[in-house]
Amino acid sequence: MKRSFTGPDRFRLQLLAALAVGLAGCAAGPATEKATSEVAAVSKPLLAPNDVTLHLDDWPALNTPPLDPDIETRIDAIMAKMTLEQKVGQVIQADNTTVTPEDVKKYRLGSVLSGGNSAPGGKPYADTKTWLAAADGYFNASVDPEGVDVAIPVIWGIDAVHGHANLLGATVFPHNIGLGAAHDPDLIEEIMKVTASELVVSGHDWTFAPTLATPRDDRWGRTYEGFSESPEIVASYADRIVYGLQGRPGDAGFLGDGHVISSAKHFMADGGTFGGKDQGDARISEEELRSIHAPGYESALQGGVQTVMASYSSWNGTKMHGSKTMLTELLKGRFGFNGFVVGDWNGHGQIPGCTNTDCPQAINAGLDMYMAPDSWKGLYESTLVHVKAGDIPMDRLDDAVRRILRVKLAYGLFEKGPPSSRPGAGDESLLGSPEHRAVARRAVRESLVLLKNDGGVLPLAGKQRVLVVGDGADNIGKQAGGWTLSWQGGDYDNTYFPNGQSILGGIREAVLGSGGTLIFDPTGSSTADADVVIAVYGENPYAEGVGDVKSLDFKPNGFDTAKLKAFRDRGIPVVSVFLSGRPLWVNPELNNSDAFVAAWLPGTEGGGVADVLFRTRPEYDFTGRLSFSWPKTADSKPLNKEDANYDPLFPFGYGLSYTSAAPDLGPVSEDPGNEPQADADLLTVFTEGENGETWAAVLYQDGVATPVGLGKTSLGELTVSHTDFARQEDALLLTWSGAGTSLVFGSPAGRVDLSGKGAAFDLVFRARAPDAEAQTLTISGGCSPDGGCTGVQSVTIEPGDWAEVRIPAACIGMADVSAVPMVAKLDMAEAGAVAIADVHLEAVGAGDAACMN
């Protein structure tokens, strides 16, 4: 029976239709935060409260490279000529989307960064010429001597975490989780040499790499940035990464041509947070901190790494950005680190008592350079006031500046000239060169782990009928993962990777080159006769907290893995190539596959997969071994090889090969175990940059609904992007050019029964007007697509600090809490902008609601 829908139900279906095309919760370029022009030297504690304590004698004293007397003498001469304003400028780093060359000159800033979505030209990525032109602009502005006795060159940093992946045409390597499975420090150093040379092409000085986390809970969205759950593997790679990027201390080429500055991150224990929560709290003992999470840093520091990035995370409740014990007493004291400590994206603003634009506690704790992407101007002004007032001691500022100058001088920055004039700059023949691609393809081969090969189905002969299925087969963006062209990755077709090859491309070469036949059906619906099916599928790209999950149960997306069984039922062997940023519970997929390969996130050289799947010349074997334990169940308990009741499906170090006999795996249990089945969170609407479990954010106009997604999302008169509230890009910036388009928080699943959570609710969120003028925001509810809303409220959003907005839900159409189709519709009657964050419902006592208007 056909049913017609009207009113709120029709609206719900339009919302659902929009969500069907894919709703992404978070990612965007930063929005400019207006600086406060007048900052009072308020009486604040010099240090963050409740710092941790360490037994420093239990920690190793490291053999770090000694200071260069000649450089120290030069620093003395330079600092003698610097003004106080210049010194404050040196400790500030701004994002290229919010700072101009004129700003760099005026404020004498020490550094510029490009965040994952921040490239010149208004896109997350750029070509060589665009990058170089911007690099020259910043550099030339910084060395302009007008008005100063000495001009300090600026350094430009970027997250080149698996190759220079924000540069079109660059070589993109497997993510670290795959490289950890390779167990090959020599390969790692070679990869970093390639990365450094391609960074020089675009004019960058500094990469925020390596990540030296030791992930201990694979639900963490940054698990793939870690090499292993084992600190031994992390430590074996750390110094070799630094050597590849910077060169070796004492060698003539150290930090010379073809090299860049390296940054060990995120100090410390970002991989040990409770529940695998990004930017969370590592609730662990000092012994675990020292034995599990420190070894990678000890290796990198002794390898001469020039900078260290502080972690967003906390250790037993103390934010790393605000811990003098960790940054000064341990890192600079006991470990003897002589370089400088840089913050993470507005990480200083998470310290108790701090904001993004005002935080003396961070520099007093030992931070030397604030990463203040969109808050830099206000932070510069407040820091200058705090130094003048004595809240930041002058000797602490001088120490920070000395450390920054030490790195710049060691890098030869004062002699290098503009980025475009340096050897290798602008040489696009280096990008994706045959030599560089060969290194990447080798890395792919070595990273693959063969988990199952029942009946010896692998290796495959090329001369046969091969059916390739799955959404990951011909999708370089998916196989490369997050931090590829943009922060979250994905959403880029293969044309954006001119020097790359999909996994399908490599299979095609192997099959057609052997005289075989290739059939490609990404949906897996084909009924064609085939000798073997190769299915390529897995996780969609993500980065940082967007990738946090509550369970390790793989949720098929883009390809229905239930179709694998149909192929096997027809007697066709199935080979699964699984793309993921972490081990996941895939027992149903294992049972429906004759062979199963953990391919991780292999980057742009998909041909490396075919090298090992097929009998090629030369013949390659699987040499990858698990650097993370593989779960037997989806019960979401952390799984590490030191566990007392260690019971994985595949243990740490596991991996099959063609030359070593192994019994067939056979069927595995498809019972996910005691996976937590918590009640759905009905009250969280939008927080920490993500939609809640029940609600979704869409732009809506005249029956058209567009889900808020990656980057900027626009419909009609409304553009939605992201900005910072409590953490990086965790808030929405709503910019209207006029009336007519709404932002709606609604349920894609239909009407939601909230009666079990309370009898009445308030809609609560934080808001601010990013510009100088207050803005009027209209909030409605109980709306139909024909224009009527049963409740309308107007609130004034003031500029300046974030403020709480609280509206009785009954005043915006939520009188019946047992059937709620939407939380709220947000509008403005004229052009303007507001930022909103932490949107949720709070249960309140039943009674007459005090509506605002």
Side-chain angles (χ1 to χ4, degrees):
M1 181 176 66
K2 183 179 291 186
R3 178 185 175 191
S4 62
F5 292 88
T6 59
D9 279 332
R10 180 178 154 205
F11 178 85
R12 191 267 300 176
L13 287 182
Q14 291 166 334
L15 177 64
L16 179 59
L19 290 166
V21 302
L23 177 69
C26 172
T32 304
E33 178 173 333
K34 185 178 181 352
T36 303
S37 58
E38 296 182 7
V39 181
V42 296
S43 177
K44 287 192 174 183
L46 295 178
L47 295 169
N50 304 317
D51 202 353
V52 294
T53 58
L54 290 174
H55 300 87
L56 289 173
D57 290 344
D58 293 338
W59 293 73
L62 305 183
N63 183 26
T64 55
L67 297 177
D68 183 332
D70 292 338
I71 287 179
E72 298 306 303
T73 299
R74 288 188 67 185
I75 294 172
D76 290 338
I78 292 170
M79 291 187 65
K81 298 178 181 179
M82 293 177 69
T83 65
L84 173 60
E85 288 75 12
Q86 280 183 283
K87 291 179 178 180
V88 171
Q90 282 300 296
V91 305
I92 304 291
Q93 181 186 62
D95 189 84
N96 69 260
T97 60
T98 70
V99 69
T100 65
E102 292 74 23
D103 292 327
V104 168
K105 176 184 174 182
K106 177 179 178 180
Y107 293 94
R108 298 294 168 178
L109 301 182
S111 178
V112 172
L113 85 142
S114 295
N117 283 334
S118 305
K123 298 178 180 179
Y125 57 86
D127 60 19
T128 300
K129 291 182 180 179
T130 304
W131 279 118
L132 265 183
D136 278 355
Y138 289 125
F139 182 90
N140 291 333
S142 70
V143 297
D144 188 327
E146 182 182 6
V148 294
D149 292 333
V150 60
I152 314 297
V154 71
I155 50 175
W156 195 348
I158 193 170
D159 289 281
V161 295
H162 65 139
H164 192 5
N166 288 80
L167 172 62
L168 286 173
T171 308
V172 181
F173 293 93
H175 268 296
N176 291 350
I177 191 170
L179 299 179
H183 298 267
D184 190 345
D186 293 337
L187 171 64
I188 296 302
E189 185 170 346
E190 192 65 27
I191 288 171
M192 297 305 154
K193 289 179 180 178
V194 172
T195 300
S197 69
E198 296 195 4
L199 280 161
V200 170
V201 171
S202 62
H204 286 88
D205 307 290
W206 180 16
T207 176
F208 305 133
T211 298
L212 299 178
T214 308
R216 306 291 284 180
D217 189 325
D218 299 344
R219 293 174 293 175
W220 186 35
R222 305 190 79 154
T223 295
Y224 67 77
E225 294 188 54
F227 295 103
S228 177
E229 70 187 44
S230 164
E232 289 81 10
I233 291 178
V234 179
S236 73
Y237 281 5
D239 57 350
R240 302 296 293 274
I241 296 169
V242 175
Y243 296 155
L245 292 169
Q246 297 184 170
R248 296 182 179 240
D251 288 358
F254 179 65
L255 287 174
D257 293 342
H259 290 112
V260 295
I261 299 165
S262 175
S263 186
K265 68 180 188 183
H266 307 86
F267 190 83
M268 183 196 292
D270 53 336
T273 59
F274 180 75
K277 185 68 173 176
D278 190 45
Q279 304 184 24
D281 186 21
R283 303 172 189 175
I284 58 177
S285 68
E286 182 179 345
E287 166 57 28
E288 185 171 343
L289 183 72
R290 183 173 62 249
S291 63
I292 299 295
H293 299 283
Y297 294 97
E298 295 166 12
S299 174
L301 292 168
Q302 293 180 112
V305 69
Q306 294 292 290
T307 70
V308 171
M309 184 181 290
S311 178
Y312 277 122
S313 60
S314 305
W315 177 42
N316 291 327
T318 296
K319 282 289 180 182
M320 286 289 166
H321 275 69
S323 176
K324 185 175 182 179
T325 301
M326 297 298 299
L327 299 183
T328 298
E329 295 177 12
L330 177 61
L331 178 58
K332 297 178 178 180
R334 185 67 174 176
F335 283 172
F337 175 57
N338 292 316
F340 71 83
V341 179
V342 64
D344 207 338
W345 188 284
N346 279 332
H348 57 274
Q350 297 185 13
I351 300 171
C354 288
T355 67
N356 290 351
T357 56
D358 188 4
C359 190
Q361 293 93 326
I363 194 168
N364 286 336
L367 195 76
D368 300 307
M369 181 180 285
Y370 295 97
M371 185 182 287
D374 55 351
S375 57
W376 64 269
K377 190 177 293 184
L379 189 63
Y380 170 91
E381 293 171 345
S382 68
T383 302
L384 183 60
V385 169
H386 285 304
V387 175
K388 290 179 178 179
D391 298 334
I392 299 173
M394 195 66 209
D395 60 354
R396 172 73 273 267
L397 177 64
D398 281 344
D399 176 63
V401 174
R402 173 173 289 275
R403 288 171 174 274
I404 294 166
L405 291 175
R406 185 178 292 143
V407 172
K408 290 184 176 183
L409 288 166
Y411 182 54
L413 192 62
F414 285 74
E415 292 75 42
K416 282 184 180 291
S420 63
S421 70
R422 302 170 192 173
D427 185 357
E428 293 188 329
S429 70
L430 294 172
L431 302 180
S433 68
E435 296 80 9
H436 291 183
R437 292 187 66 178
V439 174
R441 191 159 178 157
R442 172 190 165 195
V444 174
R445 289 194 297 267
E446 293 190 21
S447 70
L448 304 175
V449 180
L450 181 60
L451 298 180
K452 179 180 181 179
N453 193 24
D454 284 8
V457 66
L458 296 178
L460 300 171
K463 192 175 182 179
Q464 58 180 329
R465 290 177 62 83
V466 179
L467 171 60
V468 179
V469 301
D471 65 313
D474 196 29
N475 190 334
I476 298 176
K478 181 159 183 164
Q479 74 189 39
W483 294 106
T484 305
L485 293 181
S486 67
W487 179 36
Q488 294 296 315
D491 288 348
Y492 300 101
D493 64 40
N494 293 350
T495 62
Y496 287 85
F497 303 95
N499 297 320
Q501 184 181 45
S502 70
I503 293 172
L504 176 68
I507 294 172
R508 180 181 290 114
E509 287 182 352
V511 173
L512 300 185
S514 300
T517 300
L518 179 72
I519 308 164
F520 176 47
D521 174 21
T523 68
S525 302
S526 175
T527 59
D529 289 334
D531 298 308
V532 67
V533 170
I534 301 175
V536 187
Y537 57 90
E539 289 189 294
N540 283 331
Y542 54 82
E544 299 193 36
V546 176
D548 287 357
V549 294
K550 295 182 178 180
S551 165
L552 293 179
D553 187 0
F554 170 60
K555 306 295 184 184
N557 57 81
F559 174 70
D560 182 5
T561 58
K563 292 180 178 180
L564 301 179
K565 184 177 185 301
F567 292 119
R568 296 190 79 211
D569 289 345
R570 290 165 52 194
I572 305 175
V574 173
V575 177
S576 281
V577 177
F578 186 58
L579 304 172
S580 73
R582 56 189 142 212
L584 290 168
W585 187 77
V586 289
N587 287 17
E589 287 75 21
L590 280 163
N591 284 337
N592 288 324
S593 304
D594 296 275
F596 194 97
V597 178
W600 313 112
L601 300 169
T604 51
E605 287 303 314
V609 176
D611 288 345
V612 187
L613 292 182
F614 290 86
R615 297 189 186 99
T616 58
R617 292 289 183 268
E619 291 189 357
Y620 296 104
D621 199 352
F622 284 92
T623 59
R625 301 294 181 262
L626 291 178
S627 59
F628 287 83
S629 304
W630 198 280
K632 179 180 289 186
T633 67
D635 64 8
S636 303
K637 295 177 182 176
L639 178 66
N640 298 289
K641 64 186 180 71
E642 303 88 359
D643 294 347
N645 298 310
Y646 185 57
D647 187 26
L649 180 62
F650 302 113
F652 177 92
Y654 178 88
L656 303 176
S657 67
Y658 298 146
T659 57
S660 60
D664 286 356
L665 178 65
V668 293
S669 172
E670 296 190 15
D671 179 358
N674 298 318
E675 184 179 357
Q677 300 292 336
D679 291 338
D681 182 354
L682 302 179
L683 303 186
T684 298
V685 180
F686 183 91
T687 187
E688 297 185 351
E690 302 180 61
N691 293 304
E693 295 179 16
T694 307
W695 309 101
V698 299
L699 288 73
Y700 185 80
Q701 182 181 44
D702 297 332
V704 178
T706 301
V708 174
L710 300 174
K712 293 181 179 179
T713 305
S714 298
L715 177 67
E717 293 76 26
L718 175 60
T719 296
V720 178
S721 59
H722 293 71
T723 187
D724 295 351
F725 168 56
R727 54 183 274 187
Q728 182 179 353
E729 301 188 358
D730 62 347
L732 295 177
L733 178 65
L734 317 178
T735 303
W736 278 272
S737 59
T741 310
S742 309
L743 179 72
V744 177
F745 292 108
S747 169
R751 295 171 178 266
V752 178
D753 183 359
L754 300 178
S755 60
K757 300 294 183 179
F761 300 89
D762 283 352
L763 172 66
V764 184
F765 59 94
R766 304 293 292 275
R768 63 184 294 269
D771 299 320
E773 296 181 358
Q775 304 287 338
T776 300
L777 185 66
T778 300
I779 303 169
S780 312
C783 305
S784 73
D786 299 322
C789 296
T790 59
V792 180
Q793 298 284 287
S794 295
V795 295
T796 300
I797 309 299
E798 300 289 347
D801 293 337
W802 292 89
E804 181 182 275
V805 176
R806 181 178 292 268
I807 301 171
C811 299
I812 52 171
M814 201 184 295
D816 180 5
V817 300
S818 67
V820 180
M822 61 182 293
V823 174
K825 182 169 77 78
L826 280 59
D827 295 274
M828 287 183 64
E830 56 187 10
V834 296
I836 61 172
D838 192 20
V839 185
H840 60 280
L841 296 167
E842 286 187 12
V844 295
D848 293 334
C851 299
M852 303 172 68
N853 43 58

